[in-house]
Amino acid sequence: MRVEQHVVPQQPPSRVDYRGSFGWPVHWHDGGLRLVTGSGIGAVAIPKALSERVLESVARQGCAGPTLNVPTKHGMVVIMLVDADVLAPVDAELPPGVRVLTAGTAIPLPTEQRPDEIARWVIPPNTSQRWLPSLTAVLASIHAVSPGRLPVGAL
């Protein structure tokens, strides 16, 4: 009996056409490929310390999507790409370090042309599942697993 293992690559296939395959607004900037948030595509930056619990929570809901590790001047963060289905509630408090990235934010994407790129896929995009999780679902997961979480319905 032969058992095949399914290995999820840490990087998407080397020649992924982010614009053609996913419709993402990408452009080259300073020698690297960047996804620019807006036009229905958003992103949530989560501190590394909270990210594992958030990723487990969105996976349980069946709405995990493309997620990157990105170093910043404040340390490593995990960036989840989301469908900006609604505007982030301005009055909703987010846990410390969690930010909904504003429209126009440029997010580095790993590419074959830049093997030294410091951004790495945690969950690479999948051409057979091109949808993104909703911002609402991701924010709900963040609140559900955050220390000192808000009561249900407080979003």
Side-chain angles (χ1 to χ4, degrees):
M1 181 167 124
R2 184 174 159 206
V3 177
E4 292 186 32
Q5 289 183 322
H6 177 73
V7 178
V8 177
Q10 290 303 306
Q11 298 294 325
S14 60
R15 297 192 189 274
V16 169
D17 177 4
Y18 294 112
R19 184 181 304 277
S21 296
F22 302 103
W24 294 353
V26 295
H27 70 277
W28 286 94
H29 179 71
D30 290 337
L33 191 62
R34 306 289 185 252
L35 176 135
V36 181
T37 59
S39 301
I41 296 179
V44 179
I46 304 163
K48 189 76 170 155
L50 181 59
S51 66
E52 189 173 318
R53 288 178 286 170
V54 172
L55 292 174
E56 288 171 357
S57 180
V58 294
R60 279 192 304 273
Q61 293 181 44
C63 61
T67 304
L68 295 147
N69 271 333
V70 177
T72 70
K73 62 183 174 183
H74 303 293
M76 189 67 74
V77 296
V78 170
I79 296 180
M80 297 183 70
L81 302 182
V82 298
D83 179 356
D85 54 347
V86 295
L87 293 175
V90 193
D91 56 349
E93 287 190 36
L94 295 173
V98 173
R99 295 182 304 123
V100 176
L101 302 180
T102 58
T105 300
I107 300 168
L109 296 176
T111 66
E112 178 183 73
Q113 293 83 359
R114 290 286 310 265
D116 61 328
E117 182 65 67
I118 49 182
R120 298 281 182 238
W121 288 111
V122 174
I123 302 172
N126 182 341
T127 55
S128 64
Q129 179 182 326
R130 296 190 308 218
W131 59 271
L132 296 173
S134 75
L135 174 60
T136 305
V138 170
L139 291 178
S141 291
I142 290 168
H143 281 290
V145 300
S146 297
R149 65 183 192 179
L150 297 174
V152 174
L155 285 179

